[in-house]
Amino acid sequence: MNNKEECYKKIMKFMESSDKCILVKGTNQYKKHKLVMSFINKNYKNEKILFRINGMDNILKSSFLGWTRIKKKVRSGENIKIGNNYYQFDSIITSNTWPSTDRKFKFALVYPIDPIIRNKKYDVLENLFIDKEIEKIFLISWTDKQKYDYKGLKSYIDSITIYDAEEENAEYHKKVVRIQEK
């Protein structure tokens, strides 16, 4: 099983380790990043977190962040209090937003990593690992299509965890598995 509890435990183990980067995969497309955010919110306070996202407008969607909602348009590099911590957002694909964010962060979340894999745009990761000072990095997939080539991520990733939707919603899990097979 690749359920929420197992994923949470693997994240906890990662946080206690000297590892720098974890890949979070699985069929729970819209909940993986929320699980990571929830873990950080529960265990850390007043930390600075970089969230590299595929579209800044996604931040305003009510379901995107889970327990909180941001009502105003967020500029790249702007500090936003979410739960117990402070987030800065920038774009996965638009590299001119990267200098807008600070250099030093406790954590970074990159969601979804799908455009990085599809476009082999590994400079996104180079920027996080070389130009930024980040203690722990979470690379979070949206849909793990079988045709995706994860080899380009191999040198960055120290561990992998999987959060599937099977126990929470078996039909949804099956639907995503069918999508992954395409």
Side-chain angles (χ1 to χ4, degrees), residues 22-182:
I22 188 169
L23 173 62
V24 183
K25 297 171 55 175
T27 60
N28 228 327
Q29 293 173 305
Y30 300 100
K31 292 187 178 180
K32 291 177 281 200
H33 70 288
K34 293 176 194 174
L35 180 67
V36 171
M37 290 176 72
S38 174
F39 179 91
I40 292 170
N41 190 61
K42 181 178 178 184
N43 294 287
Y44 296 89
K45 189 172 184 170
N46 296 321
E47 297 293 354
K48 198 163 52 168
I49 301 155
L50 174 63
F51 198 133
R52 196 158 273 179
I53 188 171
N54 63 335
M56 296 291 282
D57 290 341
N58 285 340
I59 301 165
L60 300 175
K61 293 179 181 172
S62 62
S63 62
F64 185 77
L65 295 174
W67 74 90
T68 191
R69 178 150 190 208
I70 296 174
K71 296 178 174 115
K72 68 176 187 92
K73 188 171 175 114
V74 176
R75 290 186 325 265
S76 196
E78 181 180 357
N79 281 312
I80 304 293
K81 178 104 167 146
I82 300 175
N84 293 323
N85 297 287
Y86 295 90
Y87 284 75
Q88 288 184 22
F89 293 86
D90 67 16
S91 172
I92 291 172
I93 301 300
T94 311
S95 59
N96 66 352
T97 65
W98 302 347
S100 305
T101 57
D102 292 345
R103 179 171 164 66
K104 191 172 183 175
F105 294 92
K106 181 78 170 180
F107 307 112
L109 283 70
V110 181
Y111 171 79
I113 62 164
D114 302 50
I116 296 169
I117 296 166
R118 274 194 316 267
N119 302 315
K120 296 184 181 347
K121 192 164 174 50
Y122 303 114
D123 59 329
V124 174
L125 303 178
E126 289 292 314
N127 174 263
L128 294 177
F129 280 82
I130 295 170
D131 300 331
K132 304 277 187 188
E133 294 176 35
I134 302 169
E135 288 184 35
K136 300 283 186 179
I137 299 172
F138 295 85
L139 303 179
I140 306 163
S141 69
W142 182 64
T143 302
D144 306 305
K145 293 193 176 189
Q146 287 182 1
K147 66 181 178 181
Y148 282 174
D149 181 3
Y150 287 95
K151 288 182 217 151
L153 299 178
K154 192 174 182 179
S155 64
Y156 301 100
I157 298 169
D158 298 306
S159 58
I160 298 171
T161 188
I162 299 170
Y163 179 19
D164 282 335
E166 189 170 21
E167 287 184 2
E168 296 171 36
N169 187 337
E171 283 306 310
Y172 179 78
H173 172 78
K174 289 175 190 173
K175 176 184 162 192
V176 175
V177 168
R178 285 192 298 274
I179 291 168
Q180 291 172 341
E181 292 171 348
K182 293 181 181 178

